[in-house]
Amino acid sequence: MKTIAILSTAGGAGRTTLTAALAVLLARRGRPVVAVDFDPQNLLGPHLGLDELPADGIGAAIASGAPWHAHTWRNDDGVLFVPHGDVPLSSLVSISQLLADEPAWLATSLAGIDLPAQGVVLIDTPRYPSVQAAQALYCADLIVCVTPPEPGPLATLARHLPQLRAARNESLFVLNRLNPAREMQRDALSMLSAALGPGAAPVIRLHADAALPEAFARGSWLFDDAPYSQTSHDLQGLASAVDEWLAPLAEPSRASEPR
Ligand SMILES: Nc1ncnc2c1ncn2[C@@H]1O[C@H](COP(=O)(O)OP(=O)(O)O)[C@@H](O)[C@H]1O
Ligand SMILES: [Mg+2]
């Protein structure tokens, strides 16, 4: 079992969208997938098919100490979803304090998940730096670090790169919402590659497509509604990169993969 944290140093970068898309695409390739919402925004559930924001979950359990395992839920694609749950404002400070005091809280909690070697746990996080993102970084074997192709987010990413890389995990960097018609965004790719330095894996590009949020609003996926669109192709490419990084699947599971 491997753990992957989806991180960004900018808000609205696409962490939740990518966590859900990766969870679904990897599950469809035959992977056992657990998707954990570790962001108090509590928004991963609707991306995975829930009609309402879940009241209980792993985040709510930090404050109460109650077990969160009873609140997991499996979506249509077979993803086992661990909601964050609804946390009142009054509890946020005490939760942050507890997570700051116990940096391995999430790692310890996830260690109880019984997944085979080919399985993967994906963690959605609030913007880094935050105690939740730091916990996900602590327990991740791989970080998928996503950023919009804009100067501000790229500057904050460059600023936090040393801490992100200090954790001994591997990393994939994703430029999301790319519009190649905008010259500044083409420069963003060069800026990010320069910040990552020589020897870093190539940056993965995801193009902007207004149909992605529209598909979410309809409760469907862009890669189902428009499988030949550029962004669907990009999302499949990201899933392939992660899939190749994970332990190979046994042949029988591959046989059920859609062609
Ligand atoms: N490639 C994309 N093209 C168009 N819209 C996108 C793309 N990726 C994400 N979005 C939209 O951007 C908004 C923020 O995405 P979200 O995943 O919620 O970000 P975060 O979790 O980092 O705050 C959402 O409305 C989402 O649908
Ligand atoms: Mg989010």
Side-chain angles (χ1 to χ4, degrees), residues 39-135:
D39 183 348
Q41 291 263 333
N42 197 22
L43 276 176
L44 186 58
H47 283 80
L48 289 171
L50 281 187
D51 291 333
E52 292 179 353
L53 299 184
D56 295 305
I58 192 165
I62 302 170
S64 66
W68 47 269
H69 307 79
H71 306 295
T72 59
W73 171 81
R74 202 172 282 279
N75 90 338
D76 289 347
D77 289 289
V79 175
L80 184 68
F81 169 53
V82 180
H84 184 278
D86 192 27
V87 173
L89 190 60
S90 56
S91 301
L92 283 178
V93 173
S94 59
I95 288 175
S96 297
Q97 189 60 56
L98 186 143
L99 292 177
D101 292 344
E102 295 184 34
W105 188 92
L106 181 62
T108 309
S109 298
L110 299 185
I113 295 178
D114 187 20
L115 270 186
Q118 301 92 340
V120 59
V121 178
L122 299 166
I123 310 170
D124 187 20
T125 60
R127 188 163 60 103
Y128 184 92
S130 59
V131 281
Q132 286 89 353
Q135 294 253 335

